[in-house]
Amino acid sequence: MAGINIRVTDRNNIPQLIKNLRDLKRFTVEVGVFGDDDSFYAMIANIHEFGVTIQKASGSIIIPERSFLRTTFDEKQNEWAQFAKRQLKNVLDFKIDARTLYERLGARMVGDIQEKITDIEAPPNVSSTIRKKGSSNPLIDSGDLRRRITYKVVQK
């Protein structure tokens, strides 16, 4: 009778698991309009997010609040939490690292916010603005603001 060769390999993944769990606390994801190059668009985003009244000699111009960041966070936070939970399983299974989880979450958040910018209809533009820009969508002109919504993974 031929002998049976058995080889037992013991892999202790606990140190890597602890590292992955610690890495989850090392990062965070930020979403918005960032950087010096985009400071004009950061201002535009702020104006639309919160609204503004501009005083002029001839009267005032009111740009109403058209929140696209806060409202998307409010509407999507549970979906984003479930998405992160599903991604966490991949971190615990060593398929992705913590940074990748945050990269994927950031991309998802950006897509949802961009969709909100595209879909927002209220309050509508005034008729003079519609004539000037040729569109009734309050947050879409050239699409530059929408394109500048991005994310960054930040190490704490």
Side-chain angles (χ1 to χ4, degrees):
M1 191 176 223
I4 300 175
N5 291 328
I6 298 175
R7 182 176 174 181
V8 176
T9 331
D10 182 20
R11 290 196 178 165
N12 181 356
N13 289 328
I14 300 226
Q16 182 62 39
L17 181 61
I18 291 169
K19 180 191 178 304
N20 286 359
L21 292 171
R22 284 188 179 139
D23 284 351
L24 289 169
K25 295 171 91 176
R26 287 181 45 222
F27 298 105
T28 186
V29 65
E30 298 177 3
V31 180
V33 179
F34 304 106
D36 293 335
D37 294 342
D38 287 334
S39 60
F40 172 76
Y41 287 98
M43 176 195 65
I44 296 299
N46 189 52
I47 287 170
H48 286 295
E49 185 67 26
F50 298 103
V52 70
T53 300
I54 302 168
Q55 299 295 331
K56 297 180 81 174
S58 59
S60 60
I61 299 171
I62 299 171
I63 301 174
E65 176 182 314
R66 295 182 176 102
S67 174
F68 57 92
L69 287 170
R70 291 172 296 147
T71 56
T72 307
F73 274 82
D74 291 346
E75 293 167 4
K76 299 289 186 171
Q77 66 183 338
N78 290 336
E79 286 180 38
W80 293 341
Q82 290 302 313
F83 178 82
K85 187 177 178 181
R86 288 190 303 273
Q87 295 302 309
L88 179 59
K89 182 175 179 352
N90 291 326
V91 172
L92 299 177
D93 289 342
F94 308 109
K95 293 177 181 174
I96 63 172
D97 60 16
R99 184 176 191 91
T100 301
L101 180 150
Y102 287 105
E103 296 277 348
R104 290 177 179 180
L105 180 59
R108 171 85 180 255
M109 295 167 81
V110 165
D112 288 340
I113 292 167
Q114 288 174 330
E115 184 177 330
K116 178 71 162 190
I117 289 173
T118 301
D119 294 346
I120 205 162
E121 295 177 345
N125 285 326
V126 296
S127 57
S128 60
T129 301
I130 293 171
R131 283 193 303 276
K132 180 180 177 183
K133 70 184 229 179
S135 168
S136 62
N137 186 311
L139 296 182
I140 301 286
D141 287 343
S142 62
D144 287 341
L145 174 62
R146 185 179 186 279
R147 278 192 297 277
R148 282 180 170 75
I149 302 298
T150 190
Y151 72 91
K152 57 184 176 182
V153 175
V154 178
Q155 189 168 339
K156 298 179 189 179

